[in-house]
Amino acid sequence: MTQNRSWIPYALILPSVVFLGLLFVVPLVQTLWLAVSDNGTPSLANMTTMVTDLNFGRSVLNTFLLTLAVVPIQIVMALTMGSMVAKMNGGRETILWIWTIPLGISDLAAGMVWLSILQNTGYLNSVLFGLGIIERQTAWLTYQTPVALFIGIAIAEIWRGTAIVMIIIVAGLNQVPKEFKEAAEIFGASPWTRFTRITLPLIRPALQSALILRTVLAFEVFAVVYALGGRNFPVLVGEAYNWQNQNQNYGVAAAYAVLIMVISLAATLVYLKAVKVDPERLP
Amino acid sequence: MANIVIDNIKKSFGAFQALKGVSLTINDGEFVSLLGPSGCGKTTLLRIIAGLETSTAGDVRIGEKSVIGLLPKDRGLAMVFQNYAVFPHMTVYENVAFGLRMQKADDARVKKQVEKAAGLLHIEPYLDRYPNKLSGGQRQRVAVARALAVEPGVLLMDEPLSNLDALLRLEMRTELKTVLQEAGTTTIYVTHDQTEAMGLSDRIAVVHDGRIEQVGTPVEVYNHPATRFVGGFIGNPPMNFITMPVTGGQVTAGAQQFAVPAQGGEIVLGLRGETVERAPTGQGLDMQVRVAEPMGSHLLLTGSILGQPARVILPATETVRNGETVGLTLDPKRLTWLSPENGVSYPAAA
């Protein structure tokens, strides 16, 4: 009984397509329209308001600086962590499990955790005071301490978001047969050479996925920043949130949303070009 | 070029003893196979020689120098892996050149060596390609070329042909033999395939249960297995083992009588299936034939001798029916006698 039922696959993916269409494409089109219209007619007024706003330049700069600081550190850390667990024989799962705990915590909760450490009456000050390094409570998270605030936010983001990168990298590393490394070792490659000439090229696909995912998420950073810095450290999503909720100006909020999407898409395209994955050159 | 001395190597993984004291000397330029079933420890031994695994006790000397504790790259060897381990992100040229690049050889030397190795293995047309575009056999050639390009003193091969299909394996086997003879490299070749070991090796070391059961030329190991395991593992069909009664130092098989190294009791006859001839009626050792299979080149008989399972080979010109009883004449020069107690064979009669 071989009946031609070529419609079945389409029927099976239909619900997800409808779901995405209703809850993604429709709002996307609406947002795009909201951003480039004013009272129902095409207009760049929202864009102009966005660009001329006092916080716009700072939020763009902050978002990019944070992404540039956080993503490379996370990739390096994830590669290091992944390479370390790869050498382990026992207890590997336990270590991975502990490392991925931050994944199970919401952005805002992660922000609160670090707030409890870094605020004036927080654990960091207590420890520094106890050790006699500081004489009175020190503020780390104010507009007067921009560098400390930036570092605090970066550390919190690294703590929160490295696990997802590591999971992707570990999965990639697991795909590399150990014979490749052994062959390289036999033929005289040092551990560093093995890593740069064999491992890294072979985990390109994982590296590409991790970079895209992590960069897009970094451009969307919000809750951690909001918890630690409030508006002392404006970022793009924070500004969108403010225009939406504080100023009740949905048009400018939509303009920010569109800008974030364009930046994310551009970053993705850059990665697809820069970290090219040629299926012919994979195991 | 170098000789290799393996001196009482032991290896334990926890409570499991993978190698129980293995000693073997391999002469300069010799091709020695480590032959045994999977899990016997042969690959572990090879990895210890390579330096990819540490031994629990014992010494390995390459060219009179102990290499225990040296990094693989400082042992002067190259290796070919079972699944090729040809780097997929490098062209064939760069793969073959890899070892030389690691030695920081200049481009002229790299080019010369790569071309030489590629010529030996007939892979010149693929030098610019990526390995994924190549067949399994071609990739294996790249792996061998990569190993030979560094002109190693010792070449280690870990089941290099077992991922290839039967026809290709035969072809590569012949070619490997030619190439390695030309290169004159001391080679240790791990395999579970006895025909590969027989065909390629100067000597075979049969490994079983973490020990070397026998070392010898293919003919020695085949004709005079040291133990019942060796006889059963080598040869297709495997050696027949038939327990026979001994009276006055003699064993009687049909009309034939053989002096054996035992006075009474029982002895085990190790009988290679193809060493028998069909005896004139009533004069041979009787075999009850259950199945007769004409194989084209020969006739394979499966059945029993003295109630014990046996397989023998007769010329294709003979005809035997299923269920028939045939008499067999034995060749006294090609019999092996083994102790029924410990399965060890008695020295071949002079």
Side-chain angles (χ1 to χ4, degrees), chain A residues 182 187 197 280-282, chain B residues 47 89 102 130 132-133:
Chain A
E182 289 181 348
F187 289 106
R197 300 251 344 238
E280 236 182 64
R281 300 182 197 181
L282 291 174
Chain B
R47 291 172 60 85
H89 58 293
M102 291 300 118
Y130 285 91
N132 272 9
K133 284 282 171 197

Side-chain angles (χ1 to χ4, degrees), chain B:
Chain B
M1 310 296 115
N3 68 331
I4 304 165
V5 179
I6 297 158
D7 188 4
N8 202 20
I9 284 287
K10 291 180 184 158
K11 174 70 182 177
S12 306
F13 295 101
F16 174 68
Q17 271 191 294
L19 295 171
K20 302 167 181 170
V22 172
S23 297
L24 178 65
T25 301
I26 296 151
N27 302 318
D28 188 11
E30 197 178 21
F31 190 121
V32 170
S33 290
L34 301 176
L35 172 66
S38 58
C40 70
K42 57 192 190 299
T43 295
T44 306
L45 181 58
L46 192 79
R47 291 172 60 85
I48 288 171
I49 298 167
L52 295 172
E53 196 91 63
T54 53
S55 57
T56 315
D59 194 15
V60 176
R61 293 188 289 279
I62 298 178
E64 306 304 328
K65 191 178 81 171
S66 174
V67 294
I68 293 288
L70 289 187
L71 288 173
K73 69 182 173 77
D74 298 324
R75 297 184 177 204
L77 45 80
M79 187 159 168
V80 177
F81 292 80
Q82 179 171 4
N83 55 4
Y84 327 128
V86 168
F87 305 127
H89 58 293
M90 296 180 194
T91 59
V92 169
Y93 184 97
E94 281 309 317
N95 264 288
V96 178
F98 188 81
L100 297 155
R101 297 255 190 248
M102 291 300 118
Q103 294 172 2
K104 311 248 182 292
D106 59 71
D107 283 347
R109 180 168 138 77
V110 170
K111 191 164 186 292
K112 185 180 139 249
Q113 289 295 99
V114 169
E115 277 168 5
K116 192 172 146 195
L120 270 175
L121 275 302
H122 308 296
I123 52 169
E124 297 110 317
Y126 322 122
L127 283 175
D128 294 330
R129 293 204 206 160
Y130 285 91
N132 272 9
K133 284 282 171 197
L134 305 181
S135 69
Q138 288 165 337
R139 275 186 235 180
Q140 193 54 276
R141 283 164 195 271
V142 176
V144 176
R146 178 176 65 183
L148 291 179
V150 296
E151 295 188 335
V154 173
L155 179 62
L156 306 177
M157 306 183 107
D158 184 10
E159 309 246 6
L161 304 182
S162 60
N163 282 14
L164 304 178
D165 61 61
L167 208 64
L168 203 54
R169 203 178 308 159
L170 193 69
E171 194 185 305
M172 271 302 281
R173 197 168 83 203
T174 318
E175 196 157 331
L176 260 186
K177 186 156 188 168
T178 325
V179 169
L180 293 176
Q181 248 162 19
E182 210 164 312
T185 311
T186 312
T187 307
I188 304 182
Y189 186 100
V190 160
T191 182
H192 65 270
D193 182 332
Q194 44 108 6
T195 49
E196 254 172 44
M198 296 282 295
L200 287 167
S201 317
D202 296 321
R203 284 190 301 151
I204 298 176
V206 183
V207 186
H208 175 48
D209 200 16
R211 284 197 178 86
I212 290 183
E213 295 256 321
Q214 185 176 8
V215 186
T217 65
V219 174
E220 280 166 11
V221 172
Y222 184 84
N223 284 342
H224 295 290
T227 64
R228 195 170 167 144
F229 172 81
V230 176
F233 191 72
I234 293 182
N236 186 22
M239 183 173 254
N240 298 295
F241 297 103
I242 296 149
T243 307
M244 304 180 100
V246 183
T247 35
Q250 300 264 318
V251 162
T252 308
Q256 291 175 292
Q257 291 231 322
F258 304 99
V260 296
Q263 279 311 302
E266 288 180 326
I267 197 163
V268 177
L269 164 66
L271 177 68
R272 285 284 176 207
E274 74 283 3
T275 62
V276 299
E277 279 174 32
R278 194 168 188 171
T281 319
Q283 289 184 26
L285 178 63
D286 279 347
M287 172 171 181
Q288 283 74 43
V289 178
R290 193 152 49 81
V291 185
E293 296 165 87
M295 309 300 284
S297 61
H298 59 265
L299 178 68
L300 177 64
L301 304 180
T302 306
S304 59
I305 296 171
L306 298 176
Q308 297 160 67
R311 255 196 193 135
V312 304
I313 286 170
L314 290 181
T317 47
E318 297 284 348
T319 39
V320 176
R321 284 186 310 276
N322 293 351
E324 194 179 335
T325 297
V326 293
L328 303 172
T329 305
L330 312 184
D331 180 350
K333 288 198 285 295
R334 300 188 68 184
L335 302 180
T336 301
W337 301 101
L338 304 97
S339 153
E341 281 87 36
N342 56 17
V344 173
S345 69
Y346 294 102

